[in-house]
Amino acid sequence: MIIITGAAGFIGSSLISKLNNKGFKDLILVDDFSNAEKNKNLQNKAFTEKFDRGLFLEKLEKGMDNIDFVFHIGARTDTAEFDKAVFDKLNLNYSKAIWKSCSEFKIPLIYASSAATYGMGEHGFVDDEKIIPQLKPLNPYGESKNEFDKWVLQQNNCPPYWAGFKFFNVYGPNEYHKNRMASVVYHCFKQIQESGKMKLFRSHHPDFKDGEQLRDFIYVKDLVSVLFHFMLHGSKNGIYNLGTGKARSFKDLAENCFKVMGKEEKIHFIDTPIDIRDKYQYFTEAKMDKLRKAGYTKDFYSLEAGIKDYVGEYLMYDKYY
């Protein structure tokens, strides 16, 4: 039996699809299932049981029979939320409780960290665990993820196998419910659909032209493929980057959306808001050597191929994965 927290969310539900497609259907889903829009992600998926995230901790701490693996994907991911107490409860302390139970009952664990832990990238984007205590995230969300990573590295009592993955800029199907927190690809599609154009931030950095700010965009199908691989073949405990290792520009992203939608390209540049301008990242790119050395050898979707699949096969038809 496999447990997935954050099961109704974007990445959690995509992971369920991956597991189902590989024949794994004895799944326990954990989330706050009160959002009807979010629950659409679970349509036509096979699973055994659902638990509210609050009740689940009580059950796990008492011991659950026949649990083979835990994917802890659930988290509060709102980067515009600045109430630290929210993140302490839902991200940091909840994750600690899952870790402790997995350690006590000898259950392998994979958990979601985040590239938000890297802050402005002052120390680069290398998944060297020695630099984790030095990282300076830009918001409470990133801080909560980094605090858990730091805590994990201090533990002597651990699950029999564990790995944390720093997700970079994930996009793909099943993010309809995320609204403003959805990926840039999703927002690009919606803007083009509604107005025929796409707005991008103007560059306020002399080394970057407008729209040529760079991000490491990873397609969710690649992300869950990595998680599935490490469930089956994970050997070395640790914290890993999970991007593509290839930064691409927002302009590239927008141009590909127009192309797949068969629309004339109309990109408008607007000033980056003053209140976020000093914390705006112009470059993120995951160093992927550690993941590759750990045994994951498959190619990742290019930005072009990912957008073609996501926009052309899902967004244009309101389909779910």
Side-chain angles (χ1 to χ4, degrees), residues 201-217:
F201 285 151
R202 186 172 287 115
S203 174
H204 301 276
H205 191 297
D207 296 340
F208 294 83
K209 295 179 181 178
D210 292 345
E212 295 190 3
Q213 302 94 321
L214 298 165
R215 292 284 185 282
D216 192 334
F217 299 103

Side-chain angles (χ1 to χ4, degrees), residues 91-217:
N91 291 5
L92 183 56
N93 295 332
Y94 197 93
S95 298
K96 286 181 180 180
I98 288 177
W99 175 280
K100 289 174 182 176
S101 291
C102 287
S103 300
E104 180 180 354
F105 298 110
K106 308 302 180 189
I107 306 168
L109 170 68
I110 281 177
Y111 75 88
S113 183
S114 172
T117 57
Y118 286 118
M120 291 296 287
E122 303 96 327
H123 300 282
F125 298 92
V126 182
D127 44 5
D128 180 351
E129 291 166 12
K130 293 177 183 176
I131 71 167
I132 285 175
Q134 304 168 42
L135 299 179
K136 298 178 180 178
L138 300 175
N139 51 53
Y141 164 68
E143 289 171 0
S144 71
K145 289 295 188 180
N146 200 53
E147 286 300 311
F148 183 62
D149 287 345
K150 289 193 292 184
W151 181 85
V152 160
L153 296 175
Q154 295 169 350
Q155 301 311 299
N156 294 317
N157 192 17
C158 303
Y161 166 71
W162 66 271
F165 290 92
K166 296 191 182 218
F167 299 167
F168 275 67
N169 291 73
V170 191
Y171 67 97
N174 299 8
E175 58 173 338
Y176 298 105
H177 67 283
K178 288 177 68 69
N179 299 318
R180 64 187 178 84
M181 295 305 298
S183 71
V184 180
V185 178
Y186 177 82
H187 286 295
C188 188
F189 171 80
K190 296 300 286 185
Q191 282 192 37
I192 294 170
Q193 188 182 53
E194 292 166 8
S195 70
K197 62 185 179 182
M198 176 61 183
K199 295 178 181 177
L200 295 176
F201 285 151
R202 186 172 287 115
S203 174
H204 301 276
H205 191 297
D207 296 340
F208 294 83
K209 295 179 181 178
D210 292 345
E212 295 190 3
Q213 302 94 321
L214 298 165
R215 292 284 185 282
D216 192 334
F217 299 103

Side-chain angles (χ1 to χ4, degrees), residues 5-6 10-12 14-15 71-75 77 110-118 125 127 141-142 145 149 163-171 178 215-220 222-228 239-244 281 284-286 288 291:
T5 73
F10 162 39
I11 295 171
S14 296
L15 177 59
F71 287 101
H72 177 36
I73 309 300
T77 59
I110 281 177
Y111 75 88
S113 183
S114 172
T117 57
Y118 286 118
F125 298 92
D127 44 5
Y141 164 68
K145 289 295 188 180
D149 287 345
F165 290 92
K166 296 191 182 218
F167 299 167
F168 275 67
N169 291 73
V170 191
Y171 67 97
K178 288 177 68 69
R215 292 284 185 282
D216 192 334
F217 299 103
I218 180 166
Y219 194 33
V220 74
D222 278 331
L223 186 145
V224 298
S225 177
V226 170
L227 299 186
F228 180 75
I239 298 172
Y240 297 84
N241 279 341
L242 187 37
T244 65
Q281 294 171 305
T284 67
E285 184 178 82
M288 298 299 293
L291 187 92

